[in-house]
Amino acid sequence: MSADASSLPEGTAPRRRNAGGRTLPKGQQTKAAIVEAALGLATHIGLEGLSIGALADVTGMSKSGVFAHFGSREELQISVIQQYHACFEQEVFFPALRAERGLPRLRALFDNWMKRTTVELDSGCIYISGAVEFHERTGPVRDALAQSVQAWMGAMRRAIAQCQALGQLHANAEPEQVLFEIHGLILALHYEARFLHSPGAIERAVRGFDSVLTRYGARAA
């Protein structure tokens, strides 16, 4: 997710294709390049730092050129959230579906989440920074952000429930509590590794996940 569009003259974009392999129309290609550039900015300066003017500077386009694709700053922010979520699914969720249902899939989800988290230590996580920026606000941007996070939490919750259905986690374990503790490991990793630069934070997060599985495992219960 880089700001490659910064080198593009106005009205141009790299050739992009849709899910069917067909090249997107020029207007859609340009919009996709702008969103990618905006995502690169947002990971460093946050969603609130985005503006039509700032994006015009980065992409080398005019404000009117950017505005033609996004009628408002709010629309731009929502597009960035949607793009971030799409990337998150491609890197974290979909690859994990190849793993066997139950603990192998739950571990794959966490491992992929960890891999993405370690990459984001040098930039930032839209889900985390956005939560800080919009936790006391209302409106479409906050709603889009919350829906994306809830969709991911729902996927993790289903994976935990599958583990219980297969007898790999104790039936009396509360999925919400298990998810809370796993999510807490990721949040702690961001804080410890990115802000405090604590050595060994990644290894502790992995051990923490193993501890969660042990404590809620069917045998332990």
Side-chain angles (χ1 to χ4, degrees):
M1 288 91 68
S2 62
D4 292 338
S6 60
S7 60
L8 299 174
E10 182 172 348
T12 65
R15 294 174 65 85
R16 296 168 185 271
R17 300 179 184 275
N18 59 20
R22 296 181 179 178
T23 301
L24 294 173
K26 185 176 180 180
Q28 292 184 28
Q29 290 185 38
T30 302
K31 183 173 182 178
I34 295 172
V35 171
E36 190 170 336
L39 178 56
L41 273 178
T43 57
H44 289 87
I45 64 177
L47 289 167
E48 278 296 88
L50 289 177
S51 68
I52 299 295
L55 196 52
D57 290 339
V58 169
T59 59
M61 299 177 64
S62 65
K63 290 183 181 180
S64 60
V66 176
F67 192 81
H69 295 280
F70 304 94
S72 67
R73 178 168 173 261
E74 185 177 83
E75 183 182 339
L76 171 63
Q77 291 171 321
I78 292 174
S79 295
V80 168
I81 292 170
Q82 292 171 340
Q83 177 65 14
Y84 182 85
H85 184 70
C87 292
F88 191 95
E89 286 185 323
Q90 290 296 326
E91 295 178 20
V92 179
F93 176 68
F94 292 124
L97 295 182
R98 295 193 290 266
E100 184 180 352
R101 290 178 55 162
L103 287 179
R105 184 171 298 178
L106 180 61
R107 184 174 290 280
L109 287 168
F110 182 78
D111 288 346
N112 293 346
W113 198 2
M114 281 282 297
K115 291 176 184 177
R116 184 176 178 89
T117 298
T118 55
V119 171
E120 290 178 331
L121 294 178
D122 294 327
S123 55
C125 172
I126 296 296
Y127 289 161
I128 295 177
S129 62
V132 174
E133 293 175 310
F134 291 92
H135 73 287
E136 291 184 342
R137 303 187 184 187
T138 59
V141 178
R142 186 193 187 283
D143 291 345
L145 183 64
Q147 288 166 6
S148 293
V149 175
Q150 288 166 353
W152 169 237
M153 293 294 100
M156 288 292 293
R157 194 178 295 108
R158 288 192 296 274
I160 293 168
Q162 288 175 355
C163 292
Q164 290 181 295
L166 293 170
Q168 297 169 336
L169 294 180
H170 193 264
N172 291 335
E174 296 180 20
E176 288 294 339
Q177 181 63 32
V178 179
L179 175 59
F180 185 90
E181 295 183 27
I182 294 174
H183 192 193
L185 293 170
I186 297 294
L187 296 178
L189 175 59
H190 269 273
Y191 193 93
E192 290 282 337
R194 188 160 188 251
F195 180 59
L196 298 178
H197 303 290
S198 301
I202 294 174
E203 291 76 13
R204 283 194 291 277
V206 173
R207 291 201 301 270
F209 179 73
D210 290 338
S211 177
V212 169
L213 296 187
T214 298
R215 284 188 289 106
Y216 291 106
R219 290 185 179 181

